[in-house]
Amino acid sequence: MLRALTSASAALGPRAAGWVRTMASHQLLVAPPEALLKPLMVPSRLLLGPGPSNLAPRVLAAGGLQMIGHMHKEMFQIMDEIKQGIQYVFQTRNPLTLAVSGSGHCVLETAVVNLLEPGDPFLVGVNGIWGQRAAEIGERVGARVHPMTKDPGGHYTLQEVEEALAQHKPVLLFLTHGESSSGVLQPLDGYGDLCRRYNCLLLVDSVASLGGVPIHMDQQGIDVLYTGSQKVLNGPPGTSLISFSDKAKNKIYTRKTKPYSFYMDVKWLANFWGCDNKPRTYHHTTPVIGLYGLRESLALIAEKGLENSWRQHRDATTYLQGRLQGLGLQLFVKDPALRLPTVTTVAVPAGYDWRDIVNYLMDHFSIEITGGLGPSLGKVLRIGLLGCNATRENADRVTEALQQALQHCPRNKL
């Protein structure tokens, strides 16, 4: 073997010869993993948690298309179509509309780090985990964070928000439209007008609500709206959608300091996504295959129509909630008007460990539901009917599985 390598090195020349000698002089310390020498195995499961949701067949097929370059003209065309799809599902005409290469957490951070500078007052509705995360990101930016904290299941009235705006004079207000950790739907009508009166930008998280609940960004006066790809859109996780009003854009473009993140700098992203009418400049390598899926997700909801999607989720979830109450389960959000039509929360039944119920559905039915998250951990079970999963058939399947779980899971363990 050594003689063969020596002969090869002589034939390849001095530079290549050094590479061959180096390769021969070190032994591999790590063997090929046995697991990677076997075929990839992925179970078939019905995902009825708060997300991700099962991929629509057309989105799944898009993931098998061949790669093209992220700077190819055909890719720019796909990106332009994605922008138009976002404007449709957000109901906005904002030119500064794009997709972020990252999950919902990433797009939340993108919004906050671009809108806030050190010392800026930031008013945050904290009625679940997403408000908690927004407040922490604001603290890391160096903003003066003022949380409006409520127990899981709570929401904010116009009067409460106005009192906080008058007291803290924030430059930015954060509200979660669909708080998936508690199943609460936060009303939005009137909050944009209120923020304008107090010269405050309105930032809304619609990750768990967009596509399943009516939302009209421009008409409701929302300055920044974002969502993820993996919920109602039935796309793969890893891309997220965001739009900025002209007022929000002005706040970003007149900053005194640069955002601490280059990767999430909206000025760069705006150019890369063709939002500033300038030649596109390379910023980062986008998840091309993920954008194929996002494009198809938006195409599907455009073909269905927003109003039909809203109706589908309302009807399927109302039916599910009736079935759950028929089992004797208590809906966590008492007011029907404040129940999120995409993610339903039920109080963990007395005497049960929520983990036993979740595991029983997974082990016996290959159905995913989840427990609470953040402040709602241990208090609720969360069942999602998202996008193509929002059907009466799935409501029946999960209800029947829950009925068996309640019969077979041990009680009084806690």
Side-chain angles (χ1 to χ4, degrees), residues 284-314:
H284 71 283
T285 303
T286 53
V288 170
I289 303 298
L291 292 180
Y292 294 170
L294 178 57
R295 191 268 181 202
E296 291 301 274
S297 297
L298 291 166
L300 286 170
I301 200 166
E303 291 170 6
K304 176 185 291 185
L306 273 174
E307 291 175 321
N308 289 329
S309 183
W310 298 337
R311 188 179 303 111
Q312 173 189 346
H313 286 82
R314 181 195 64 207

Side-chain angles (χ1 to χ4, degrees), residues 223-277:
D223 292 292
V224 187
L225 181 67
Y226 68 83
T227 195
S229 57
Q230 76 278 16
K231 305 278 188 174
V232 171
L233 293 179
N234 297 131
T239 59
S240 44
L241 299 60
I242 192 166
S243 183
F244 299 85
S245 70
D246 288 341
K247 187 177 177 184
K249 176 183 176 181
N250 184 64
K251 176 73 166 69
I252 294 170
Y253 278 67
T254 58
R255 292 175 61 102
K256 299 181 179 66
T257 60
K258 290 183 178 181
Y260 76 73
S261 172
F262 179 85
Y263 185 74
M264 294 179 283
D265 189 323
V266 164
K267 286 186 180 180
W268 278 89
L269 295 175
N271 172 262
F272 190 47
W273 277 85
C275 300
D276 61 2
N277 297 316

Side-chain angles (χ1 to χ4, degrees), residues 117-266:
E117 295 188 76
D120 280 347
F122 180 28
L123 183 62
V124 184
V126 182
N127 61 337
I129 191 170
W130 308 118
Q132 289 182 338
R133 297 286 170 89
E136 179 166 341
I137 295 168
E139 290 172 357
R140 292 180 182 223
V141 170
R144 291 183 286 119
V145 178
H146 303 286
M148 299 184 293
T149 304
K150 284 184 177 284
D151 291 334
H155 75 290
Y156 300 93
T157 66
L158 285 168
Q159 181 180 345
E160 290 171 333
V161 170
E162 182 166 16
E163 289 172 356
L165 289 171
Q167 178 182 356
H168 300 295
K169 299 177 174 57
V171 300
L172 182 66
L173 165 66
F174 172 89
L175 292 174
T176 307
H177 186 219
E179 180 48 76
S180 60
S181 66
S182 63
V184 167
L185 179 67
Q186 169 65 44
L188 292 179
D189 286 343
Y191 294 82
D193 292 337
L194 192 59
C195 284
R196 273 196 293 271
R197 291 208 303 272
Y198 285 87
N199 197 29
C200 174
L201 297 172
L202 175 58
L203 167 61
V204 173
D205 177 318
S206 69
V207 172
S209 60
L210 195 282
V213 185
I215 189 166
H216 304 268
M217 182 176 185
D218 289 358
Q219 291 172 277
Q220 291 176 309
I222 300 168
D223 292 292
V224 187
L225 181 67
Y226 68 83
T227 195
S229 57
Q230 76 278 16
K231 305 278 188 174
V232 171
L233 293 179
N234 297 131
T239 59
S240 44
L241 299 60
I242 192 166
S243 183
F244 299 85
S245 70
D246 288 341
K247 187 177 177 184
K249 176 183 176 181
N250 184 64
K251 176 73 166 69
I252 294 170
Y253 278 67
T254 58
R255 292 175 61 102
K256 299 181 179 66
T257 60
K258 290 183 178 181
Y260 76 73
S261 172
F262 179 85
Y263 185 74
M264 294 179 283
D265 189 323
V266 164

Side-chain angles (χ1 to χ4, degrees), residues 82-98:
I82 288 172
K83 286 192 296 182
Q84 294 169 28
I86 299 171
Q87 289 172 324
Y88 171 66
V89 296
F90 282 8
Q91 285 297 288
T92 182
R93 294 190 175 96
N94 293 332
L96 185 46
T97 298
L98 53 90

